[in-house]
Amino acid sequence: MPGEDEERFREFVVEQWGPLTRTAYLLTGDRGAAEDLVQSALEKTHRRWGRVLRKDAPGVYVRRVMVNTAVSWRRRRRTVEVPLLEADAITAPDAYHRAENRHHLLGALRRLPPRMRAVLVLRYFEDLSETDIAQVLGCSTGTVKSQASRGLARLRADLKPPSTLIGTSLQEDPA
């Protein structure tokens, strides 16, 4: 049956590459890192593919591996804010093109802690239930709810439009 398992793995990769890469991009904020993350997660999943088919849904397992790997990469790297490249600024037609402040949202999302970001990505971009997210992250449903609530509050605060100063002029002489 190893040949059959290999074929099922190939089918899984072909079917899930796009959604997994999108999730990885939202977790990492970088297209190259997203592809590396998916490759790494699929490599780890392939090693345990037989057990994954027997125990878990493969999609849940791979997403769990992706989140854990992204968190560990972030801990190791501790990089500072990475400016967007021109290639990232070019918008390609996708399901999120309607969001007029996409780059601001992605920037705000990148500033969240990795686990909080993972909860928001899995909940609002992958549309997983709180129970499924808890399973992917290996935590309680209550933790998922509190992380989602705190994350949304931080995004709202970060994305709040700056207040304008009415009646002041930059050219006025304070003296």
Side-chain angles (χ1 to χ4, degrees):
M1 289 286 191
E4 185 177 314
D5 283 351
E6 284 294 321
E7 186 58 33
R8 287 181 70 185
F9 181 76
R10 280 190 199 94
E11 290 171 4
F12 174 79
V13 170
V14 168
E15 180 181 302
Q16 292 296 312
W17 181 261
L20 291 173
T21 304
R22 183 186 66 225
T23 301
Y25 177 73
L26 292 168
L27 289 171
T28 63
D30 178 75
R31 289 179 186 170
E35 290 178 358
D36 290 346
L37 179 60
V38 174
Q39 290 274 350
S40 179
L42 289 173
E43 178 185 355
K44 292 174 183 178
T45 302
H46 183 263
R47 289 186 217 144
R48 302 193 187 308
W49 185 247
R51 282 185 259 161
V52 169
L53 287 176
R54 287 191 300 274
K55 290 187 175 185
D56 295 323
V60 171
Y61 184 87
V62 173
R63 283 175 177 80
R64 175 184 278 184
V65 171
M66 284 172 47
V67 168
N68 290 340
T69 303
V71 169
S72 71
W73 283 358
R74 180 158 172 127
R75 279 188 200 132
R76 279 188 296 195
R77 276 195 254 170
R78 297 281 184 195
T79 58
V80 293
E81 186 77 17
V82 176
L84 288 175
L85 301 172
E86 280 189 45
D88 290 333
I90 299 170
T91 57
D94 64 7
Y96 304 106
H97 72 278
R98 288 180 228 125
E100 61 187 38
N101 294 319
R102 180 179 183 191
H103 294 292
H104 296 294
L105 175 61
L106 288 173
L109 195 60
R110 286 183 193 124
R111 288 187 286 278
L112 294 176
R115 290 296 241 189
M116 190 178 289
R117 180 184 328 145
V119 167
L120 293 178
V121 167
L122 293 173
R123 180 71 181 112
Y124 297 104
F125 289 94
E126 286 294 314
D127 202 27
L128 295 181
S129 70
E130 291 163 343
T131 306
D132 291 340
I133 296 168
Q135 184 182 7
V136 168
L137 298 178
C139 63
S140 70
T141 305
T143 300
V144 171
K145 289 178 182 180
S146 67
Q147 289 291 302
S149 175
R150 289 182 188 135
L152 288 174
R154 286 178 66 173
L155 284 178
R156 283 186 193 108
D158 201 6
L159 296 173
K160 186 189 301 185
S163 61
T164 56
L165 300 174
I166 300 173
T168 60
S169 172
L170 294 175
Q171 296 180 351
E172 290 180 8
D173 187 13

